[in-house]
Amino acid sequence: MDVEEAFQVVGEFGAYQKRAVAVLALTQVYMAFQSMLVVLVGASPQFHVEKHDGVQSSVTFFGDVDSIVTEWLLVKQQAYKVSLAGSLFFAGLLLGSFIFGPLSDAVGRRPVYLTALFLEVFLGYVTAASPSYEVFAASRLLVGLMNGAIGLVSFILTQEYVGKSYWAITGTLTSMTFAVGIALFAALGFAIRPWRTLAAAANTWGVLCFLLSAMLPESPRWLYCRGRTERAQEVMRFMALMNGRPAHKLSLRPADGHDDGDDGGRSGILRLAAHPLLRLRTLLLMYIWYVCSLVYYGLTLGAGDMSGNRYLNVAMYGLVELPAYPLCVYFMNQPWAGRRKSLSGFLCLAAWACLCTIFIPEDAESSLAATSLALLGKLTVSAAFNIVYVYTSELYPTVVRNAGLGVCAMSCRVGGILAPFVPSMRALATAVPFGVFCLSGLSAAALVLLLPETLNAPPEQTLEQLLPARRRVLKSKPLLYQDDK
């Protein structure tokens, strides 16, 4: 039997896989803590600057706030350093996606995941103990680098530990726990006010994640597609025993056209560029990921500066995404919607929210309507983000899956970096920023329809399984794999 048939014997989502996915979900909470860290530790209270002879002599802060701003006096001309620290984290995410995606395809999911998690925990404590802003900023860049690696590989493992029919559920679970992690970080920040103590406490969650993750096995799908059939069989048999299933009848046949990684360096990103079908798919997916990020962060900025309690605001930032995920699971698994139409539909809804925002007058009476549309847009783009993760992983064979996700995630970070600059286009006209988001969302929604549907289709393990009959981007999976009618 092949690996997909073996999951029918082992159990597609048995007790052991549930525990493994739960550990990876806990890691998503840790990733959320690190992603949102600067939002709270970089809080800037009201302040007063005293000057003598036109030179700043002292700064007085008002309120009980302990942050990097109050410690290193990041005000006035130095205020940009708070945003710079956040930008460095996202730059690290971009580099991590680019570097570690292909690396995990080459050397394995488990070693890359555990190494990156260990280093992120170590660097997280460097952040908490930083003696200067320069050390703090450098640590945020490196934490972001490891965070990008963990995000990709942990998502892939949640897919490759389970049967294909559960990919939508496990993929959605990772997004849900990340959103919950944002809310939990807000609660932690409310309870712990000193920024160094908060950074250390948030990072301690990573220690727990590392200890639990050390027991996770290598991906059986990765082992199988690399030609390590005996090792993959051992992992599958262990899963069967832990699930209470008989394992003695489980025997894997060698994968057709398996990839052992010795191909003269034609691996990872180079293989994506060399393969005509994957090259075109990757270009389309890169743009779709870029738009998802651009619209997501753009709508957040378009909602305006949120007033009120900053801890409550951070919590709402995460919790508003939760309703999107049950909708994702429902629509992605419906034969009349699937992955492709669901992704396109949610992008269209986000574009519609942007379009409607253009026509709302800028006054206090209309602020509720504008906020409601911004939240609707954030919800729908969150849904699109979740679907595009699952959909992208299904469009790539196992041997280049992490490389494909890494390239797409890199373009996603570019969208996040550019999003803050779009509001400056208000200088041309008030409607221009939301017009950009609207047109971007609609164009991405249209391009999604050029990709094939993957619902109920068996995942390819190797490049050789991308059959000539399916070498058109628009062509859907063979009807043999669809539900019986």
Side-chain angles (χ1 to χ4, degrees):
M1 63 182 72
D2 63 18
V3 70
E4 203 60 42
E5 294 169 336
F7 271 107
Q8 302 297 323
V9 176
V10 169
E12 288 192 280
F13 197 30
Y16 179 76
Q17 288 115 309
K18 291 176 181 176
R19 290 195 294 270
V21 170
V23 170
L24 295 169
L26 290 176
T27 305
Q28 292 291 322
V29 174
Y30 174 61
M31 289 175 57
F33 285 3
Q34 291 294 350
S35 298
M36 300 299 294
L37 185 70
V38 173
V39 175
L40 295 186
V41 304
S44 180
Q46 293 183 344
F47 61 90
H48 174 70
V49 178
E50 295 183 3
K51 295 182 179 181
H52 294 286
D53 298 327
V55 179
Q56 177 178 315
S57 60
S58 64
V59 180
T60 302
F61 292 97
F62 303 101
D64 184 19
V65 176
D66 180 5
S67 68
I68 61 173
V69 174
T70 60
E71 179 166 337
W72 293 316
L73 304 181
L74 303 182
V75 298
K76 295 294 185 178
Q77 291 84 0
Q78 301 296 315
Y80 76 94
K81 291 184 176 180
V82 178
S83 299
L84 177 61
S87 296
L88 287 172
F89 177 84
F90 282 100
L93 286 178
L94 188 153
L95 293 174
S97 302
F98 183 79
I99 295 171
F100 291 101
L103 185 62
S104 69
D105 283 332
V107 304
R109 318 304 198 203
R110 186 174 184 271
V112 171
Y113 170 74
L114 290 177
T115 301
L117 182 55
F118 175 82
L119 291 175
E120 181 167 355
V121 171
F122 171 76
L123 292 166
Y125 284 118
V126 172
T127 294
S130 297
S132 65
Y133 170 81
E134 289 72 22
V135 175
F136 177 86
S139 70
R140 297 316 296 162
L141 173 66
L142 296 175
V143 167
L145 186 72
M146 300 305 141
N147 201 281
I150 295 169
L152 278 176
V153 182
S154 64
F155 176 82
I156 288 295
L157 286 174
T158 62
Q159 306 287 78
E160 296 185 350
Y161 280 157
V162 304
K164 170 70 163 48
S165 61
Y166 285 91
W167 281 14
I169 293 176
T170 56
T172 299
L173 181 62
T174 60
S175 299
M176 288 185 66
T177 50
F178 188 91
V180 171
I182 294 175
L184 289 176
F185 180 67
L188 186 65
F190 180 79
I192 304 174
R193 299 302 175 92
W195 79 265
R196 291 184 183 276
T197 307
L198 174 60
N203 199 60
T204 301
W205 186 274
V207 177
L208 173 63
C209 293
F210 179 79
L211 294 175
L212 294 174
S213 297
M215 304 302 295
L216 295 176
E218 181 56 272
S219 163
R221 294 181 185 274
W222 182 85
L223 291 168
Y224 182 71
C225 77
R226 286 293 183 179
R228 304 178 189 179
T229 308
E230 292 186 3
R231 178 61 183 141
Q233 189 169 280
E234 290 177 5
V235 174
M236 296 294 284
R237 286 181 174 176
F238 176 74
M239 287 183 175
L241 291 173
M242 298 300 292
N243 289 339
R245 297 287 190 94
H248 61 280
K249 295 183 179 180
L250 198 156
S251 179
L252 294 175
R253 64 171 179 268
D256 296 331
H258 73 76
D259 192 331
D260 59 6
D262 186 15
D263 54 5
R266 288 174 54 84
S267 60
I269 297 174
L270 293 179
R271 304 175 75 181
L272 295 178
H275 196 286
L277 175 60
L278 292 180
R279 180 171 63 245
L280 186 53
R281 281 188 186 178
T282 300
L283 290 174
L284 291 175
L285 288 168
M286 285 177 68
Y287 180 73
I288 293 165
W289 279 65
Y290 160 79
V291 169
C292 284
S293 180
L294 183 74
V295 177
Y296 179 91
Y297 291 108
L299 282 173
T300 302
L301 292 172
D305 294 331
M306 297 180 68
S307 59
N309 187 283
R310 63 178 177 273
Y311 302 103
L312 180 60
N313 291 342
V314 171
M316 295 233 356
Y317 185 86
L319 294 178
V320 73
E321 301 179 18
L322 293 181
Y325 303 124
L327 292 175
C328 288
V329 174
Y330 175 76
F331 283 107
M332 280 194 294
N333 290 314
Q334 297 303 311
W336 49 267
R339 276 62 160 152
R340 183 179 60 171
K341 292 180 181 178
S342 296
L343 176 56
S344 181
F346 279 116
L347 283 171
C348 283
L349 285 174
W352 174 83
C354 291
L355 180 63
C356 292
T357 304
I358 294 175
F359 301 103
I360 295 178
E362 296 184 355
D363 53 53
E365 296 179 357
S366 303
S367 61
L368 179 60
T371 300
S372 299
L373 283 172
L375 291 176
L376 173 63
K378 191 168 189 302
L379 184 148
T380 52
V381 174
S382 298
F385 252 134
N386 181 63
I387 295 173
V388 80
Y389 260 104
V390 176
Y391 191 30
T392 301
S393 68
E394 294 176 346
L395 286 170
Y396 286 108
T398 301
V399 291
V400 292
R401 184 169 295 135
N402 241 18
L405 274 173
V407 172
C408 292
M410 181 181 65
S411 64
C412 169
R413 303 309 173 193
V414 173
I417 292 171
L418 293 179
F421 296 97
V422 178
S424 64
M425 299 173 71
R426 287 177 178 270
L428 301 176
T430 304
V432 170
F434 284 100
V436 170
F437 298 139
C438 176
L439 292 176
S440 299
L442 289 176
S443 61
L447 290 177
V448 168
L449 298 177
L450 294 177
L451 295 168
E453 180 56 66
T454 58
L455 178 64
N456 298 325
E460 291 96 353
Q461 308 297 334
T462 65
L463 296 181
E464 288 75 11
Q465 292 177 349
L466 291 172
L467 303 178
R470 289 146 72 176
R471 287 182 182 269
R472 290 193 313 166
V473 179
L474 184 57
K475 188 173 182 65
S476 298
K477 301 291 184 179
L479 293 177
L480 173 66
Y481 301 126
Q482 305 296 330
D483 288 337
D484 294 333
K485 296 184 179 179

